[in-house]
Amino acid sequence: MKKAMFSPLGSFFLLLSCLSLASTASTSSTANATTIAKPGCQSQCGNLTVPYPFGIGIGSGCSIDPVFDINCNTSFNPPKPFLETGNLEVISLSDTQIRIKNWVASRCYNQTGGITSENIVWIDLPAYYLTFSDTANKFTVIGCDDFALISGSEGRNFTSGCVSLCSKSEDVLSGYCSGIGCCQTSIPKGLKKFLTSLSTLKNHTTVWPFDPCSYAFLGEQDVFNFRGASDLSDLSFMNRTRDYVPVVIDWVVGKNQNCSQAMNSNAMVCQQNSTCVDLDSSLGGYRCSCNQDINECANSNMNDCDTNAICIDTPGSYNCTCPHGYFGDGRKDGHGCIAVNSQFPVVKFSLGLSFGFLSIVIAITWLYFSIKKRKRFKLREKFFEQNGGMLMKQQISSNQGGVESSKIFTADELEKATNNYAEDRILGRGGYGVVYKGIMHDQRIVAIKKSRIMDESQIEQFINEVVILTQVNHRNVVKLMGCCLETEVPLLVYEYVSNGTLFHHIHKNGGIPWFSWQNRLRIASEAAGALSYLHSAASMPIIHRDVKSANILLDDNYTAKISDFGASRLVPLDQTQVTTLVQGTLGYLDPEYFHTSQLTEKSDVYSFGIVLAELLTRKKPICMERTQEERNLATYFIMSIKENRLFQILDPRVIREGTLEQLQAVAELVKRCLNMNGEDRPTMKEVAMELEGLRKFARHPWVNQEIQEETEGLMSEPSDLYTVQMNSYNTSTTHGEISGQYSLDSGMIFPINSPR
Ligand SMILES: *[C@@H]1O[C@H](CO)[C@@H](O)[C@H](O)[C@H]1NC(C)=O
Ligand SMILES: *[C@@H]1O[C@H](CO)[C@@H](O)[C@H](O)[C@H]1NC(C)=O
Ligand SMILES: *[C@@H]1O[C@H](CO)[C@@H](O)[C@H](O)[C@H]1NC(C)=O
Ligand SMILES: *[C@@H]1O[C@H](CO)[C@@H](O)[C@H](O)[C@H]1NC(C)=O
Ligand SMILES: *[C@@H]1O[C@H](CO)[C@@H](O)[C@H](O)[C@H]1NC(C)=O
Ligand SMILES: *[C@@H]1O[C@H](CO)[C@@H](O)[C@H](O)[C@H]1NC(C)=O
Ligand SMILES: *[C@@H]1O[C@H](CO)[C@@H](O)[C@H](O)[C@H]1NC(C)=O
Ligand SMILES: *[C@@H]1O[C@H](CO)[C@@H](O)[C@H](O)[C@H]1NC(C)=O
Ligand SMILES: *[C@@H]1O[C@H](CO)[C@@H](O)[C@H](O)[C@H]1NC(C)=O
Ligand SMILES: *[C@@H]1O[C@H](CO)[C@@H](O)[C@H](O)[C@H]1NC(C)=O
C-alpha cells in the first residue's frame, strides 16, 4: 500500500492505521518503526521516533532539508536528539510541532544588591520553516522585584515583557501567575528569534530573604505550573511531572505557499516518493509526507481480511481473497469467506434475504428521522406564526429605526446560549416563568425569559409591546434586545443586569456598606425618572403595572434598571385610563385600581410610593409577623406619620445619614404617593423632580461629614442624638433568611421564605 504518513487530511482509515502504527512503534521495541523514516535511514534516537521529513544525521540526506536534520548524540545514554547542529534538545516531534527543552534566563543577587550570577538566553531558529508557536507558548517572569523583556524579530522587530512585584512571600499564591511573584505575556505570531533580558527595580534588596533570584523563560503555558513561594527561592524543575518546560515550535515546509502554488512555481520541496500535504493554518506553507510500501498482511490489525481469507500485499494496498472452496469478499466487515457446501443455495438465499431486510430497516430508520426533523421544523414554523412572527417582522421592517435594536433570535441560538436551559443557568423563577442567563456566540451575556403561559388573544398586544420596548432606550430601563418566536411560548432576550434586585439589597440581613442614604436617594430618583419617561416621553405611554423593588435591578455600578414589562399596558394617547383585569403584586397594588379596575398611571405612582417606603424603613410591604395594624407597610407608614413617630420606623442608617429636611420631605412624598385617591397623587414626573431636588439638598448639618464617611458601612451605633430614642424600641425587623432573586419576571415573584 502506498501510504501517506502523517497526513491529517487522509481518509479516516488511513489516519487510523497511521496512528496504530505510530503507537506500536513507540511502545514496543520489537515493532519495526523503519516504516516511518525514509527507507534506509535510522528512525529512532533514544526514545524519540524521527519521522520523515525529519531525518537522523547531519548531512545524511535522510531529511527533506538540512534544517530538518536531527543530530542524535550518542555520547549520552540514552542518546539525545538535537535540532540541526545546535544545542536545542528535541523532546517530541508531531505532525505540526516540535517540542524542545527550554533554557531559563536567571539573575541572582547578594544581600546588598550585587549580581552574583547571570544567565542570558536567546534562541535563533534556523530558516523560515520554524517559528515559535504563539498559541502554545507564553513568556513567563518569576520574581518579586523584576521586569523582563523579550525582544525578537518576526519580520517586524518586537519587544514585549511583563512586571512582577510583591513585598511578602505570603502574597504569592501557588497556581496564580498574574503579576504577584509571577507574570505572563504572549508572543506575536511568526516569531523566529528572541532574546530575554532581566531587570530589577531595587536590586532585590527589599525582597532578598525570600527571593534572591529572578527568572524568565519562554515555554509551553499548559505545562508550567507556578508553585508560589518555593519557586521564588529556587525555580528548579525538579520534583515536577517533567523536569523542564518545553518550548513549542510550529514547523512547515515551503514558504508562504500551498502545494498547488509550489507546484506551479516549480519551487516544490517535496521530492520523489513523497506527497505534498496542505496545511490549514494561516501561516502558509505545507508538509511533505513519505510514501512507503507497508506490508499490511504482516499484521492483522492493519488489514481487514477475514480469518479464512488469504491476504496478498500489493503496492499501495492489499487484497483479501477467499481460498478454494470458499466464497465471499474476504473482508471481516463484509461477508468474509463462507465455506461452500451442500446448502449452497440456502446460504445464498438467506444471505440475500438478510441483505434485503437490512436495507429495508435502514430505509425505514432514515425515513423516520427525516420525518421527525421535518415535523420539528414545521412545529417551529407554526409557533413562529402563532406567536405573531409575521406581524413582528412587518412591524420591524416598517420601522426602519428599530431594525437594529430589535432582533428575532432563533430557537437554536438561544438553546445554545443557555446550554439547553440548564439548571445552573437559572437566574430566577416566578409565577410567570423562568429567567435564564445566556451567553451568546459573541460572548455577550443576556438574560432570557421563558414565559409559562401565553394567552393567544394577547399575541398582538405582546408583539406591540416587544416592538415598542425594544425602542425604549433609557439608561434606567432594562433593554429588551429581542425575542424568539419559534417556541411554544415566546422567549424574551434582555440585557443582563448583574447585581440582583433592589428588593434583595434592601432586605439583605445585616445591611450592605454601599447602601447609604445618598445611594438610596439616587436609586429612587433614577427609578422615578425611568417611570416618568415611560409615562410621558415614550411614543405611547406605558403603564408598568407591577412596580416593586423586586422589579428594579441594579447593574455593576448600582445603577437602577426598571425591568419586567410582562404586565405592562400601552395606553393610547387619547385615553387616560383603561379597564383591565386587576394584576399586580400584593402589598404594592393600588387599592383604587383594585376596587375599580380602572388602570391609570397613578397606580404606578402608588406602587412607587411603597418602594420609597421600603427604602426608608427596610421593612417589607407585607409582613405577617407584624401586628395586625402594622402588617401593611402603607398603613403602618401613614399611621406613623400621623402619630408623629415616623422616626421609630425609619432605618437607623437613614436617620444617621439623611438630613431632617430630606427625611421629612421624602416621608411627605411617600404620603402623597400613597393617597387613596389617585387624582391627589403627584405624577411620576413630579416625584422624579422632587427626588432629584432632594439629592442636591445639603447633607446632615449636625454630623461631621468625615466621621460619617468613616463609619459608613460598619453598621455602627447611631449618633448620640438618637441613642436614647433608638434604645427605646427594638429595631430588628428581619425575619429568617432572605435569598435574593433576580427577576425580569412580572407579578408574583417572591423571595424564598417571604410571605405571600
Ligand atoms: C522488522 O524488519 C525486519 C527486516 O526488515 C524483519 O525481519 C522483522 O521481522 C520485522 N519485525 C517486525 C516485528 O515486523
Ligand atoms: C526512555 O527510555 C528509557 C530507557 O531507554 C526508559 O527508561 C524510559 O522510560 C523511556 N521514556 C519514555 C518516555 O519512553
Ligand atoms: C555530543 O555531546 C557531547 C557533550 O555535550 C559533545 O562534546 C559532542 O561534541 C556532541 N557530539 C556531537 C556529534 O554533537
Ligand atoms: C555583593 O556584591 C557586590 C558586587 O559583586 C560586592 O561588592 C559586595 O561586597 C557583595 N556583598 C556581599 C554582602 O556579599
Ligand atoms: C530590527 O532591529 C535591528 C537592530 O536591532 C535593525 O538592524 C533592523 O533593521 C530592524 N528591522 C526592522 C524591520 O525594523
Ligand atoms: C542596583 O545596582 C546597580 C549596579 O549594581 C546600581 O547602579 C544601582 O544604584 C543599584 N540600585 C539600587 C536601587 O540599589
Ligand atoms: C524535591 O525532592 C527532593 C527529594 O526527592 C527533596 O529533598 C526536596 O526538598 C524537594 N524539593 C521541593 C522543592 O519539593
Ligand atoms: C493555494 O493558494 C491559492 C492562492 O492563495 C488558492 O487560490 C488555492 O485555493 C490554494 N489551494 C489550496 C489547496 O489550498
Ligand atoms: C523512490 O522509490 C523507489 C522504489 O521504492 C526507489 O527505487 C527510488 O530510489 C526512490 N527514490 C528516492 C529519491 O528515494
Ligand atoms: C485482488 O485479487 C483479485 C483476484 O485474485 C483480482 O481480480 C484483483 O484485481 C486483485 N486486486 C488488486 C488490487 O490487486
Side-chain angles (χ1 to χ4, degrees):
M1 176 202 265
K2 293 271 175 207
K3 186 168 279 189
M5 306 302 306
F6 296 99
S7 157
L9 306 174
S11 74
F12 186 56
F13 173 69
L14 276 182
L15 189 63
L16 268 186
S17 44
C18 274
L19 288 177
S20 65
L21 183 73
S23 62
T24 24
S26 61
T27 52
S28 147
S29 56
T30 53
N32 273 338
T34 45
T35 46
I36 296 170
K38 191 165 171 177
C41 287
Q42 188 187 340
S43 68
Q44 203 80 15
C45 179
N47 288 349
L48 183 75
T49 303
V50 180
Y52 191 79
F54 296 92
I56 292 176
I58 303 290
S60 63
C62 282
S63 69
I64 193 169
D65 182 289
V67 171
F68 293 100
D69 283 346
I70 300 290
N71 172 16
C72 188
N73 191 332
T74 47
S75 32
F76 298 96
N77 185 23
K80 285 186 179 173
F82 293 93
L83 212 55
E84 222 198 336
T85 53
N87 52 1
L88 303 173
E89 187 183 339
V90 178
I91 301 159
S92 70
L93 295 171
S94 81
D95 263 9
T96 53
Q97 295 183 324
I98 307 171
R99 276 181 181 69
I100 60 170
K101 282 198 182 172
N102 74 341
W103 303 69
V104 177
S106 64
R107 207 190 217 191
C108 292
Y109 301 84
N110 68 15
Q111 207 154 0
T112 53
I115 296 170
T116 57
S117 69
E118 180 157 25
N119 185 14
I120 293 171
V121 169
W122 56 270
I123 297 180
D124 192 351
L125 293 178
Y128 50 75
Y129 304 114
L130 310 175
T131 54
F132 292 103
S133 166
D134 61 312
T135 49
N137 297 312
K138 278 262 155 62
F139 180 61
T140 306
V141 179
I142 291 167
C144 269
D145 178 22
D146 299 290
F147 61 95
L149 300 181
I150 178 168
S151 51
S153 159
E154 36 95 7
R156 300 159 294 165
N157 285 344
F158 115 99
T159 300
S160 179
C162 66
V163 181
S164 170
L165 298 174
C166 56
S167 50
K168 295 197 296 286
S169 66
E170 296 85 67
D171 292 347
V172 181
L173 298 181
S174 173
Y176 290 92
C177 192
S178 53
I180 303 175
C182 178
C183 65
Q184 282 187 327
T185 185
S186 334
I187 58 165
K189 206 184 185 74
L191 184 69
K192 293 181 196 308
K193 59 180 174 190
F194 72 85
L195 168 76
T196 53
S197 52
L198 282 159
S199 304
T200 173
L201 298 176
K202 295 180 181 158
N203 294 353
H204 275 239
T205 46
T206 54
V207 294
W208 190 83
F210 61 92
D211 179 26
C213 298
S214 52
Y215 306 94
F217 59 89
L218 181 67
E220 189 171 8
Q221 60 169 329
D222 294 340
V223 169
F224 175 66
N225 59 320
F226 180 52
R227 297 187 304 187
S230 77
D231 274 349
L232 290 179
S233 50
D234 178 17
L235 181 74
S236 116
F237 285 102
M238 295 297 168
N239 305 8
R240 292 179 201 259
T241 18
R242 294 160 219 250
D243 60 357
Y244 53 83
V245 170
V247 182
V248 180
I249 295 171
D250 291 329
W251 66 269
V252 297
V253 301
K255 189 182 185 181
N256 302 331
Q257 283 185 320
N258 60 26
C259 291
S260 56
Q261 286 169 317
M263 205 78 85
N264 291 342
S265 62
N266 271 336
M268 173 52 79
V269 183
C270 304
Q271 299 295 326
Q272 246 181 310
N273 295 352
S274 69
T275 310
C276 180
V277 178
D278 273 316
L279 291 176
D280 46 1
S281 110
S282 58
L283 274 177
Y286 52 88
R287 290 199 311 279
C288 305
S289 58
C290 214
N291 299 341
Q292 287 183 353
D293 187 30
I294 297 168
N295 184 0
E296 291 87 356
C297 292
N299 187 336
S300 64
N301 287 335
M302 278 158 35
N303 66 62
D304 67 345
C305 289
D306 187 80
T307 41
N308 287 332
I310 300 167
C311 178
I312 300 163
D313 188 41
T314 61
S317 179
Y318 59 95
N319 209 340
C320 305
T321 48
C322 290
H324 189 68
Y326 290 82
F327 76 95
D329 65 359
R331 308 268 167 175
K332 257 181 246 167
D333 47 1
H335 318 142
C337 290
I338 297 163
V340 183
N341 54 26
S342 54
Q343 279 118 44
F344 175 74
V346 177
V347 171
K348 201 166 188 177
F349 178 73
S350 61
L351 207 69
L353 202 69
S354 57
F355 252 86
F357 182 68
L358 202 72
S359 356
I360 289 174
V361 168
I362 289 174
I364 288 177
T365 317
W366 180 80
L367 209 68
Y368 171 76
F369 279 109
S370 60
I371 286 177
K372 201 167 164 188
K373 194 171 163 191
R374 202 179 147 73
K375 238 184 185 166
R376 216 176 77 173
F377 185 76
K378 278 265 178 211
L379 196 66
R380 287 200 170 163
E381 226 170 31
K382 192 189 113 199
F383 285 143
F384 186 79
E385 222 137 86
Q386 175 187 313
N387 288 335
M390 287 304 144
L391 189 67
M392 174 95 176
K393 269 196 169 160
Q394 244 169 37
Q395 288 261 24
I396 289 176
S397 60
S398 70
N399 189 330
Q400 294 301 330
V403 176
E404 254 303 294
S405 53
S406 162
K407 183 171 179 317
I408 297 185
F409 293 88
T410 65
D412 283 335
E413 210 174 342
L414 297 187
E415 225 163 71
K416 220 174 274 169
T418 54
N419 196 8
N420 207 6
Y421 303 104
E423 278 294 307
D424 62 348
R425 291 293 184 82
I426 293 181
L427 292 170
R429 281 179 211 270
Y432 272 71
V434 185
V435 182
Y436 293 88
K437 180 174 179 174
I439 299 167
M440 306 304 285
H441 57 85
D442 56 2
Q443 300 305 314
R444 251 184 327 166
I445 301 182
V446 297
I448 298 170
K449 180 166 135 188
K450 197 176 183 183
S451 306
R452 219 159 264 168
I453 28 144
M454 190 70 206
D455 182 355
E456 243 182 71
S457 64
Q458 291 180 1
I459 292 291
E460 193 167 334
Q461 192 80 359
F462 163 81
I463 298 300
N464 227 3
E465 281 174 26
V466 169
V467 169
I468 286 194
L469 273 182
T470 46
Q471 291 165 31
V472 167
N473 197 355
H474 191 277
R475 65 184 290 269
N476 298 119
V477 175
V478 170
K479 184 131 186 69
L480 181 62
M481 288 159 58
C483 61
C484 170
L485 304 169
E486 288 173 9
T487 45
E488 189 175 9
V489 285
L491 298 170
L492 298 179
V493 181
Y494 294 89
E495 79 173 298
Y496 176 69
V497 185
S498 56
N499 240 332
T501 68
L502 181 59
F503 184 91
H504 168 68
H505 286 278
I506 292 178
H507 300 293
K508 191 169 171 172
N509 270 344
I512 316 169
W514 74 270
F515 206 53
S516 64
W517 169 240
Q518 273 304 317
N519 275 331
R520 289 185 220 191
L521 254 187
R522 175 180 54 75
I523 287 168
S525 162
E526 283 169 352
L531 286 172
S532 148
Y533 167 81
L534 291 172
H535 286 178
S536 54
S539 51
M540 208 190 275
I542 300 167
I543 296 179
H544 187 287
R545 228 174 150 207
D546 196 17
V547 174
K548 58 179 175 177
S549 54
N551 276 341
I552 298 174
L553 306 182
L554 298 174
D555 74 1
D556 293 342
N557 308 318
Y558 301 111
T559 302
K561 302 243 180 200
I562 305 266
S563 81
D564 186 12
F565 295 85
S568 308
R569 285 289 160 270
L570 292 163
V571 185
L573 277 172
D574 51 353
Q575 266 173 281
T576 54
Q577 58 182 42
V578 283
T579 309
T580 69
L581 217 69
V582 174
Q583 205 175 356
T585 305
L586 218 58
Y588 293 92
L589 191 59
D590 171 13
E592 190 184 52
Y593 166 49
F594 182 73
H595 290 304
T596 62
S597 299
Q598 295 292 308
L599 181 68
T600 72
E601 54 180 51
K602 294 295 176 68
S603 300
D604 278 356
V605 176
Y606 181 90
S607 307
F608 184 78
I610 302 285
V611 174
L612 268 184
E614 254 182 298
L615 278 169
L616 283 172
T617 61
R618 292 190 64 215
K619 295 191 195 313
K620 291 191 193 153
I622 286 191
C623 178
M624 292 304 170
E625 288 165 45
R626 293 198 288 257
T627 59
Q628 178 75 37
E629 62 271 22
E630 295 177 354
R631 190 160 293 163
N632 188 326
L633 181 60
T635 36
Y636 189 19
F637 195 93
I638 300 294
M639 218 163 62
S640 300
I641 295 181
K642 212 177 273 170
E643 295 169 6
N644 247 337
R645 51 181 181 85
L646 176 67
F647 278 83
Q648 285 181 17
I649 74 163
L650 292 185
D651 179 21
R653 183 159 177 189
V654 164
I655 300 176
R656 236 172 26 243
E657 296 176 358
T659 68
L660 192 58
E661 289 86 342
Q662 277 179 327
L663 297 184
Q664 276 173 342
V666 178
E668 187 57 34
L669 189 60
V670 172
K671 190 174 153 194
R672 280 162 58 209
C673 289
L674 299 185
N675 201 309
M676 282 299 155
N677 185 355
E679 290 204 350
D680 294 341
R681 292 175 205 155
T683 62
M684 220 50 237
K685 191 170 181 184
E686 284 164 348
V687 174
M689 274 164 55
E690 191 152 336
L691 285 171
E692 189 55 37
L694 281 171
R695 276 183 71 191
K696 296 177 180 135
F697 215 70
R699 297 189 67 179
H700 235 297
W702 56 70
V703 177
N704 182 313
Q705 189 77 27
E706 274 85 45
I707 293 170
Q708 196 193 349
E709 296 285 0
E710 268 174 33
T711 53
E712 202 158 30
L714 296 175
M715 287 306 285
S716 55
E717 304 74 46
S719 66
D720 288 344
L721 254 177
Y722 289 102
T723 311
V724 178
Q725 200 182 351
M726 302 282 305
N727 288 345
S728 62
Y729 65 93
N730 184 0
T731 54
S732 165
T733 59
T734 45
H735 314 287
E737 183 61 29
I738 293 159
S739 109
Q741 291 255 18
Y742 180 101
S743 152
L744 286 167
D745 192 277
S746 98
M748 318 305 171
I749 187 156
F750 291 99
I752 299 161
N753 289 351
S754 89
R756 285 197 169 231

